[in-house]
């Protein structure tokens, strides 16, 4: 069983990874299928350098792994459960967004 401190650190790393829209797009793309960096960069419409920086962050967070394939490297989610977690999180966020009960949400930027 993980300690509370370890649980918090894992969630914080996941939160850092999801804090950037490009990293979210990368994770969602890899949820669909593993991909080579050049293909990911083209699909997301970003430079390979920028993609490389984001992939490094996602690797450091333990969310993606680099798999050597001949002379190339393919990226994939580090664990298949991450795909389910992303789906669950996306569903929960959409449900919360649809049911905003805070009257000041738009003015305060909360909720």
């Amino acid at each position: 069983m993980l300690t509370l401190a370890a649980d918090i650190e894992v969630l914080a790393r996941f939160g850092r990874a999801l804090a950037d829209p490009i990293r979210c797009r990368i994770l969602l793309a890899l949820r669909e299928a593993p991909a080579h960096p050049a293909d990911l960069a083209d699909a997301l419409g970003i430079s390979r350098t920028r993609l490389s920086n984001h992939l490094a962050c996602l690797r450091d967070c333990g969310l993606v792994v680099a798999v050597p394939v001949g002379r190339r490297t393919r990226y994939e989610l580090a664990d298949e459960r991450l795909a389910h977690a992303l789906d669950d999180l996306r569903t929960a966020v959409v449900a919360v967004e649809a049911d905003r009960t805070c009257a000041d949400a738009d003015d305060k930027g909360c909720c």
Side-chain angles (χ1 to χ4, degrees):
M1 183 167 148
L2 293 175
T3 65
L4 183 59
D7 289 345
I8 291 169
E9 177 56 32
V10 168
L11 289 173
R13 279 191 318 211
F14 194 63
R16 278 193 300 277
L18 294 177
D20 186 278
I22 291 175
R23 288 193 294 269
C24 289
R25 292 173 59 205
I26 293 169
L27 288 171
L28 291 174
L30 294 177
R31 179 179 60 79
E32 296 299 321
H36 295 282
D39 298 332
L40 274 173
D42 291 343
L44 300 175
I46 61 174
S47 71
R48 291 181 187 184
T49 301
R50 194 168 182 193
L51 177 76
S52 178
N53 291 334
H54 287 290
L55 286 171
C57 175
L58 292 171
R59 275 194 323 269
D60 290 345
C61 289
L63 299 178
V64 302
V65 293
V67 178
V69 179
R71 292 176 38 187
R72 298 179 72 194
T73 300
R74 182 185 71 220
Y75 282 84
E76 58 189 50
L77 294 178
D79 189 297
E80 66 184 39
R81 291 174 290 188
L82 286 171
H84 299 292
L86 289 167
D87 287 338
D88 290 344
L89 184 58
R90 218 170 40 149
T91 302
V93 169
V94 168
V96 169
E97 181 67 21
D99 186 31
R100 292 171 58 179
T101 56
C102 178
D104 297 327
D106 291 329
D107 294 335
K108 293 182 180 179
C110 64
C111 309

